[in-house]
Amino acid sequence: MSGEKTPTPALEFPIEEIEAIIERATVGAISPEEYAKLRMLIQTFALLKEELQAKKTSIQRLKQMLFGPSTERTSEVLGEESTERHTTGQQADRSETEVKCKGHGRNAAAAYIGAEKVQIPHPSLRRGDACPGCVAGKVYPMKDPSVRVRFSGVAPLQAKVYECARLRCGLCGQMYTANAPEGVGEEKYDETAPAVVGLLRYGVGLPFNRIEKLQANFGIPLPASTQWELVRPAGATYSPVYEKLQDYAAEGNVIHNDDTTMTVLELTPEQRAAALGEETAKNRTGVFTSGIVSVGEGHRIALFLTGVRHAGENLTEVLKRRAKDLPPPIQMCDGSDHNLPKELETLLCRCIAHARRGFVDVAASFPEEVRFVLNTLKEIYKIDARARQEALNPQERLKLHQDESAPRMEALRNWMRAQFAERKVEPNSGLGEAIRHMDKNWEALTRFLQVPEAPLDNNITERALKRAIQHRKNSLFYKTLNGARVGDTFMTLIHTAELNGVNAFDYLIALLRHPAQIAASPGEWMPWNYRMTLERLGGGPDPPA
């Protein structure tokens, strides 16, 4: 085929031989065979240099593909010292006695909300007693007690063996057995057991077999098959809440979505056809976990949906639940068309972080150009962070971005167009591709300058999907779609609870203790209102033991 490059043969001789040829060339003529080897070396170098200019084969891109990006912080990408962490040499050399940055110290005692609290009265003093020190004064209790936190290691699932004494009549044979303590029923596992297994399995990504080994090391065996028999019915109990969360997610003002690959071993052609239709199913072999994060009315909802549908198709199914009188939601996603709902209208926003990544990938080849782009976007994120810190409402945030971000973004666009107009950048180079992608999606990328509540990026969904990716890396697959449905249900409840500042363990237990009420009124058992429902019913989940 005309226009194709002639493939360069691989170099199959050692570098020492090349060095010897170069040394001989400095003192005299070299043989035709040596000349051919040198020519091959030069061609290989030229090809390598050309390929390194391309985004998809840059060394940086290759490292990210193999090991994943360690960071995309502007200072790290550009090889500069962070001005945010080390603005002066004096700050870099600050003494160890200085207060450390937030997130690098000990947790306060108030952070241990799941810990058992033991109140210890003073052994000899009470309110109003005479002070043992000065004798004249009287002591009174302090508002804040002296607090000590002590950790002890236990198995994730603990067990108690109740040995109820049995006595038998030697004459008639009548058996008499002691009653078990109050609260100990006939069931072997209480509601906390499936909640713990679900948190370990779907919350932190531990496969059943690892949990089995961990429990065995504590002397409390819990086979993998038993763990599945615990979480499977729990998933069915949670199902009405999972469905109701999809209803509420459809009503959100801003909806983020994306997906990642997944594996389901026993997926039949009939199941594919049922989800996609006969024609589409013939041409699609992949399986995906979609992440959808809906923001609205002060709540955040994270949905996980695993199957043969792409994120856009799953979003379509969710938005079919949306009330007809509501305006189209704001949708945030990356540049993939698979994320778009084909049948329903949304106000599309594109992810700045994904567009920025195109420049990060070519930073080594175009350092000065990339520096301008990254520093411009850095300022945009600083402005948005200021809006959050000042708790601006959507209209105030929009005005702030229009006043301060719009001029910076316009300067960036003018600079990008000048690169092509003045022939400073080759359109087919890695930098050219990054510029063309950003310019092509400019309106969607700058929606935050036009519409209140429009986000800058899709990072909230990227973080949510890490839960599914962790499952894929540790467990490799789901066996069936039913297993995937259980996993999606647990992940949805756990991540939604975390997004709303709710203790996921307490939430899962509360749901398992009220299956009938959940089936009747699932809307009263959302992470943000279940405690009010418990108070109305007059009960709540026990704190973790």
Side-chain angles (χ1 to χ4, degrees), residues 223-263:
S225 58
T226 302
Q227 296 171 50
W228 169 244
E229 290 303 320
L230 287 172
V231 299
R232 181 177 55 81
T237 301
Y238 296 145
S239 185
V241 176
Y242 178 62
E243 292 294 328
K244 195 64 179 179
L245 282 170
Q246 294 185 49
D247 291 340
Y248 284 134
E251 308 294 319
N253 300 328
V254 182
I255 299 179
H256 305 247
N257 72 314
D258 201 354
D259 60 23
T260 186
T261 58
M262 190 56 68
T263 299

Side-chain angles (χ1 to χ4, degrees), residues 361-399:
D361 290 340
V362 297
S365 301
F366 304 93
E368 293 305 318
E369 294 85 349
V370 170
R371 177 176 286 105
F372 173 72
V373 175
L374 298 193
N375 284 335
T376 299
L377 297 179
K378 181 179 179 180
E379 292 301 315
I380 304 303
Y381 274 91
K382 284 184 176 180
I383 294 168
D384 200 61
R386 199 166 87 231
R388 290 193 300 274
Q389 292 167 0
E390 297 175 5
L392 301 184
N393 63 42
Q395 290 294 341
E396 292 171 336
R397 173 181 176 269
L398 175 62
K399 187 176 187 308

Side-chain angles (χ1 to χ4, degrees), residues 428-498:
N428 292 327
S429 66
L431 178 60
E433 289 181 9
I435 291 175
R436 285 192 291 113
H437 170 76
M438 180 169 270
D439 191 57
K440 176 183 175 182
N441 296 284
W442 188 259
E443 183 178 0
L445 287 168
T446 58
R447 195 76 70 188
F448 67 97
L449 300 176
Q450 308 150 15
V451 179
E453 295 188 87
L456 299 184
D457 55 47
N458 202 29
N459 290 351
I460 189 173
T461 310
E462 298 284 341
R463 289 191 292 269
L465 282 174
K466 285 182 179 179
R467 199 177 293 278
I469 293 170
Q470 190 176 46
H471 166 84
R472 185 184 67 213
K473 291 173 67 175
N474 291 338
S475 298
L476 303 181
F477 55 80
Y478 291 110
K479 185 177 181 181
T480 65
L481 279 180
N482 182 50
R485 164 83 179 196
V486 172
D488 291 342
T489 301
F490 268 94
M491 289 185 192
T492 293
L493 269 58
I494 293 169
H495 202 76
T496 301
E498 292 176 355

